Amino acid sequence: MVDFGRVQKELQECNKDINVSGISVNPKSDNLTSLIGTIPGPIGTPYEGGTFKIDIDLPDGYPFEPPRMKFATKVWHPNISSQSGAICLDILKDQWSPALTLKVALLSIQALLSAPQPNDPQDAVVAQQYLKDYQTFASTAHYWTESFAKTSSLGIEEKVQKLVEMGFPEGLVRSTLEVVDGDENLALEKLCSG
Amino acid sequence: MEAMESMERRDAIDCVPGYGEKRRDGGDGGDGGRRLKLAVDWKSPAVDRRVKEFSAMGYDSMTNVSIPTAASKAKEIGKKKRVNRTAKLKQSKLDVRREQWLSQVKNKGCKEEINGANGVKMHSPDVHERNDDRPLMKLEINPVGEETEGITNHYSDSDSPSNSPISHTSSVFGSNRSRSPFTSSSSSSSGGCCSGSMAEEDDGDNGCLDDWEAIADALAADDLKNDNHESPEPPQLNSLPPPEPEPVNVTMVGQDGCCARAWRPDDIFRPQSLPNLLKQNSFPMNSNQLYGFGAIEFGFKKVTSPPSTCPICCEDLDLTDTSFLPCPCGYRLCLFCHKRILEDDGRCPGCRKEYDHHGQGNASLKLGRSCSMIPRH
C-alpha cells in the first residue's frame, strides 16, 4: 500500500517551489499511484529549452521501494532508452533510499541530462555516438528536443491547422494525430509516407 | 507664600484628627479597637531611641528636614518596592516574599545605621499586611502624620524658610488621599511578618518620628500603587550591575540602591528559598528578546533538535521515536519505518549502510565476542 500521506506531502512540497526548480509533479489519476513529472532541459546542454515529461508509477512499497520512472517525452541520451524512455539511474534501482523523494529523483534525472554516463549506457547506439561523434550526438539530441520536448506547447488545434496549411486534408490530419498521440512530427512522417 | 502654607498645615491639623476620631468612633467597631491600638503602637520606646539617634546625626535643629528626606526616601523605596514587586509577582511565591522581607530588615539592621528608611522598611510589611482594611489604615495614619507636621511646624518651622518641603509633603499627602482607592487593591500577597514588632512597641508618647515613618509608609505604598498604574518601565535600568544583564534583575538593583546590597548568589542573607533569578528569568528573556546567549542557545536547539515527524512516513514522532537512534549517522525515523526497512533490505535511509553492521547488531556482536572470550581466560 502506497503511503498516500507522504505522497500528498511530497506533491505539496514539490509544487511549492515550482518557480525556482521548474520541476513539478502532478497526479495523472485520482489514486496518486500514477503521476506525471516535468523537468526543464538543463541550460547549456542540447536539451535546453525543452520540457520533458516523466511517467511516474508508485509501487505498493513506496517509499520503501523506488518509484518507477520513465521518460514520456522522447530523448536522445546515452542513459535513456530512445525507444522506451527507460532511465538508467542507480537511485531508481538499487541505490534508492526511503529518505529520497520524487522531487529528488526528478532532480537527479535532470542532472543526468546534463552529465551523461556513456560508459554505463541504457541506449548503446546513443552511447556509441556520444563517445565517437559528439557533434552528431549533440545535434541529434538538440533536434529531438526541438521536435519532441517542445510540441507540448502547441495545442491540438494548432497542430491540425499547421498540417492543413501544408496541404493535407483536415480529417486525415486529425486521425493521424490521434494515432501518433498528438506528435506533430510523427504525424507529418505518416502523412508524407502515405 | 509661607503664610498660605502654614494655613494649609493648620487646616490639616485641625480637620484631620477630627476626621480620624470620627472614623475611630463610628464604622465597624470590631476593627476600630484594633486600629486604635495600632495608633498607640506607633508611639513606642523604639521611637525614643531613634530620636536620640537622629539628634546624634545632627537632625535635632532641623527636625522637619527629615520629613522630606523620609518622604523622598519613601518614594525611592516605594519605587524599589514596586520593582521588587513586579519580579515577585512573576515568582508568585508568598513564602519567598515573606522571607525576603525579613532578611531585608535583618540585612539593613546589620549593614546600615538606623535611620528613617530603616523604620520605613520595618513597618512597610505591616502596612501591606492589612490589605483588606487598607483605606481605613491610611485614614488612621494620615491624622497622626499630619499632626506630626503640625508639631514640627510649631516647634521650629514657624519662622524658618525651610518649611516649603513640608507643604510639599502635605500636598503629596493630600494627593495620596485622593488616590487612596488605588491602595485598596494593592498587595494582596504580602505576608504579615512584622506584626510581632508592632506588638512589641507597647506605649510611649513621643510618636513623631515613627509617624514620619508611617507617612513614609503610606507614601511608599501609594507610590508603589500609582507607579504600578502609571509607568511600567523600571526607572533604574541604567544602574544595572555588569554581571547581570537581564532587565529583570532590576529587582536586585532596587534593593541595591537602597542598602547598597543586592541578593547576590553568594549573599549570606539571601534566603535559601529564593529562586535563582538568572535561571528563572531565562524563559522570559528568551521569549521577549533573543540576543546573546539566548539567541545562540535557541538557534542551536533548533538546529540540533530531532525532527518532529518521521521523514519516511511523515507521521509525528513520539517520545520513543525521538530517543530512537538506530544508526550512528544520526538519521532518525520512527520505529515502524525502521521495522519495515529491517524486513526489507535493512539499510539506513540516511547513509545506505546496513543497520546490522552497527547499532544494535554491533552491540550484540561485541557481547557475543566478549562472552566467547571468557572461557579462554
Side-chain angles (χ1 to χ4, degrees):
Chain A
M1 191 63 188
V2 181
D3 187 347
F4 290 119
R6 165 162 164 157
V7 176
Q8 280 283 12
K9 203 171 180 184
E10 277 194 46
L11 294 187
Q12 283 173 9
E13 290 288 319
C14 183
N15 294 332
K16 218 190 295 182
D17 57 350
I18 187 169
N19 294 327
V20 180
S21 63
I23 292 173
S24 69
V25 184
N26 291 299
K28 238 190 216 173
S29 56
D30 288 339
N31 64 1
L32 284 180
T33 53
S34 82
L35 311 162
I36 191 132
T38 55
I39 54 170
I43 294 164
T45 65
Y47 312 102
E48 183 179 343
T51 303
F52 299 87
K53 292 191 170 176
I54 293 159
D55 274 329
I56 304 168
D57 268 321
L58 298 182
D60 282 351
Y62 183 83
F64 301 100
E65 292 172 26
R68 288 189 284 266
M69 291 188 176
K70 72 181 185 73
F71 269 86
T73 309
K74 286 173 78 73
V75 190
W76 191 253
H77 188 280
N79 303 105
I80 297 159
S81 168
S82 59
Q83 302 297 312
S84 66
I87 305 162
C88 177
L89 187 62
D90 58 352
I91 65 154
L92 294 177
K93 295 176 176 100
D94 59 324
Q95 289 303 301
W96 170 256
S97 156
L100 300 175
T101 62
L102 295 174
K103 190 192 173 186
V104 171
L106 289 173
L107 272 170
S108 303
I109 292 168
Q110 195 185 28
L112 184 68
L113 285 181
S114 54
Q117 305 290 318
N119 295 320
D120 182 20
Q122 176 76 26
D123 194 308
V125 177
V126 182
Q128 283 297 315
Q129 191 186 45
Y130 182 90
L131 289 171
K132 291 183 174 165
D133 188 358
Y134 181 80
Q135 283 306 317
T136 313
F137 162 81
S139 61
T140 310
H142 183 70
Y143 174 75
W144 277 48
T145 303
E146 290 294 319
S147 304
F148 306 119
K150 287 183 173 175
T151 50
S152 58
S153 62
L154 291 175
I156 190 80
E157 289 304 319
E158 286 166 307
K159 289 175 197 165
V160 169
Q161 196 185 348
K162 208 173 170 185
L163 291 170
V164 167
E165 278 172 5
M166 289 178 185
F168 298 105
E170 191 179 331
L172 185 62
V173 167
R174 285 189 185 277
S175 60
T176 312
L177 275 172
E178 271 179 34
V179 168
V180 297
D181 202 17
D183 193 319
E184 189 186 336
N185 293 288
L186 283 176
L188 185 58
E189 264 178 49
K190 280 210 171 201
L191 286 169
C192 288
S193 64
Chain B
M1 181 70 184
E2 282 177 30
M4 269 184 67
E5 281 162 359
S6 63
M7 271 191 59
E8 245 180 60
R9 287 194 296 275
R10 293 240 162 71
D11 281 353
I13 296 155
D14 289 339
C15 73
V16 171
Y19 186 60
E21 283 291 326
K22 211 162 64 183
R23 292 295 301 183
R24 251 172 250 167
D25 293 340
D28 32 16
D31 259 3
R34 190 176 163 210
R35 269 181 274 127
L36 196 64
K37 185 169 179 287
L38 267 173
V40 175
D41 283 347
W42 289 112
K43 298 151 186 172
S44 66
V47 174
D48 290 332
R49 180 176 47 119
R50 247 172 245 140
V51 170
K52 278 170 199 160
E53 279 157 5
F54 263 67
S55 11
M57 287 155 77
Y59 283 139
D60 46 354
S61 62
M62 24 184 268
T63 324
N64 67 314
V65 176
S66 62
I67 295 176
T69 312
S72 61
K73 260 276 201 266
K75 275 195 168 184
E76 199 186 351
I77 289 160
K79 279 177 183 175
K80 283 156 195 168
K81 274 186 201 165
R82 177 182 50 74
V83 175
N84 216 359
R85 179 61 48 81
T86 52
K88 280 176 190 168
L89 283 175
K90 279 180 192 168
Q91 293 168 11
S92 298
K93 286 181 180 173
L94 266 171
D95 298 343
V96 173
R97 213 163 294 150
R98 192 174 301 147
E99 219 171 324
Q100 196 175 4
W101 277 114
L102 278 169
S103 55
Q104 256 180 11
V105 173
K106 213 190 288 175
N107 213 354
K108 281 179 87 60
C110 72
K111 278 290 163 187
E112 292 223 336
E113 295 176 314
I114 301 170
N115 52 16
N118 191 0
V120 171
K121 277 284 180 182
M122 291 277 283
H123 287 281
S124 49
D126 203 53
V127 173
H128 291 301
E129 181 193 359
R130 291 167 193 81
N131 40 38
D132 292 334
D133 48 1
R134 199 170 164 67
L136 299 179
M137 181 69 184
K138 259 185 64 62
L139 280 174
E140 201 181 8
I141 292 167
N142 290 354
V144 185
E146 305 221 357
E147 210 172 0
T148 309
E149 285 170 21
I151 289 164
T152 48
N153 274 336
H154 289 310
Y155 282 154
S156 58
D157 274 356
S158 54
D159 53 352
S160 119
S162 64
N163 53 1
S164 51
I166 301 174
S167 71
H168 165 74
T169 312
S170 65
S171 69
V172 167
F173 212 77
S175 70
N176 275 345
R177 199 183 297 157
S178 68
R179 284 180 291 183
S180 61
F182 280 119
T183 56
S184 62
S185 65
S186 78
S187 68
S188 59
S189 50
S190 282
C193 61
C194 285
S195 52
S197 72
M198 292 297 294
E200 285 166 16
E201 297 165 359
D202 298 320
D203 53 355
D205 43 3
N206 192 355
C208 301
L209 288 172
D210 230 354
D211 289 340
W212 299 339
E213 291 160 14
I215 295 166
D217 255 1
L219 282 174
D222 262 15
D223 278 349
L224 177 72
K225 250 354 266 183
N226 293 326
D227 281 0
N228 272 348
H229 281 277
E230 283 156 17
S231 65
E233 194 62 32
Q236 293 162 340
L237 270 173
N238 305 340
S239 57
L240 280 174
E244 290 140 359
E246 291 95 344
V248 198
N249 279 330
V250 171
T251 56
M252 302 169 108
V253 184
Q255 293 168 358
D256 206 352
C258 161
C259 53
R261 283 185 69 87
W263 295 125
R264 296 200 182 81
D266 54 342
D267 201 321
I268 308 161
F269 297 99
R270 190 178 190 275
Q272 291 296 314
S273 53
L274 259 185
N276 189 349
L277 277 179
L278 285 172
K279 209 179 272 180
Q280 190 159 50
N281 293 332
S282 65
F283 168 66
M285 188 192 76
N286 272 351
S287 66
N288 288 339
Q289 55 239 79
L290 289 169
Y291 56 83
F293 261 120
I296 292 167
E297 211 174 8
F298 189 73
F300 190 66
K301 260 185 204 167
K302 212 174 180 182
V303 167
T304 55
S305 66
S308 59
T309 57
C310 172
I312 310 298
C313 62
C314 301
E315 298 290 330
D316 287 344
L317 291 177
D318 63 14
L319 198 65
T320 321
D321 293 328
T322 48
S323 58
F324 177 53
L325 197 61
C327 182
C329 78
Y331 191 84
R332 290 171 186 273
L333 71 170
C334 72
L335 287 162
F336 292 106
C337 291
H338 181 248
K339 183 175 177 293
R340 175 72 172 75
I341 288 168
L342 283 183
E343 285 169 0
D344 204 355
D345 63 348
R347 289 184 306 168
C348 169
C351 62
R352 292 201 182 91
K353 285 177 186 161
E354 290 196 15
Y355 277 130
D356 284 344
H357 285 182
H358 35 60
Q360 306 140 335
N362 204 5
S364 62
L365 194 67
K366 271 181 190 167
L367 194 68
R369 269 187 194 163
S370 62
C371 285
S372 67
M373 293 288 272
I374 290 167
R376 286 186 203 165
H377 284 283

